[in-house]
Amino acid sequence: VAVVLAARNIGEIETIAEEINGAGGRALAVACDVSRYTDVAATVARCQEAFARLDILVNNAGIFPRVEFLEMTEADWDSVQNVNLKAGFFSAQAAARRMIAAGQGGAIINVASVAAYSGPPLGVHYAASKGGVIGMTRALAMALAGQDIRVNAIAPGLTDTAQPRDG
């Protein structure tokens, strides 16, 4: 099994890649701003160069800055939509293009959130982005079914990561 880890802060994922490689797996850490299509396309290309194929994409980039609805700015809204929704679209598109070209199908897993259903009061932008992920997943599943690419979403609840701890 081979894994490509992508993040803006490569230092965090380099350690994880080293652990995977040290345990006998194969991993590559790549710096990538998932809200920029050129970064995403380059990361997908690096994946294929390093490991010859791309079978599974997991779209799990996400941010959740807490902001009061009446205080939310356009920049607050845009930053969350760019990372949580637009980046998933870019990644799915770039990966699907490679999967289709390889003719071997594949799988795309999008990480949504129960917040899409519960609507956290300090996360109107977050709930909207994760609701968008659910709708996008349904549409992508239909669009890519004929190419033997499965598209699913998972919607976890609160997870013990730095974001809720720092929020």
Side-chain angles (χ1 to χ4, degrees):
V1 175
V3 179
V4 174
L5 306 166
R8 284 181 298 192
N9 182 350
I10 195 166
E12 294 174 4
I13 60 173
E14 279 181 325
T15 302
I16 297 167
E18 289 170 9
E19 290 174 11
I20 293 169
N21 290 325
R26 296 184 304 153
L28 173 66
V30 179
C32 178
D33 179 347
V34 293
S35 68
R36 296 180 44 185
Y37 185 80
T38 54
D39 277 20
V40 170
T43 298
V44 169
R46 292 255 339 255
C47 170
Q48 195 161 22
E49 290 165 11
F51 302 119
R53 58 187 291 162
L54 171 60
D55 298 312
I56 301 170
L57 167 70
V58 178
N59 276 320
N60 69 333
I63 58 173
F64 184 178
R66 275 74 171 168
V67 181
E68 293 279 350
F69 169 66
L70 296 176
E71 305 299 320
M72 191 174 294
T73 66
E74 183 177 357
D76 293 327
W77 178 269
D78 287 348
S79 67
V80 170
Q81 301 312 310
N82 287 345
V83 172
N84 296 2
L85 183 56
K86 184 170 80 170
F89 167 79
F90 286 163
S91 298
Q93 187 180 59
R97 286 178 173 155
R98 294 284 177 154
M99 291 172 181
I100 291 166
Q104 298 173 325
I108 297 172
I109 303 164
N110 295 321
V111 179
S113 171
V114 297
Y117 305 103
S118 64
L122 295 179
V124 171
H125 51 353
Y126 181 79
S129 72
K130 294 303 185 172
V133 167
I134 293 166
M136 180 179 69
T137 299
R138 289 180 175 140
L140 288 175
M142 297 299 291
L144 296 172
Q147 302 293 331
D148 197 28
I149 299 173
R150 277 186 336 275
V151 185
N152 296 99
I154 59 172
L158 188 63
T159 305
D160 186 17
T161 64
Q163 285 214 31
R165 276 186 249 125
D166 295 342

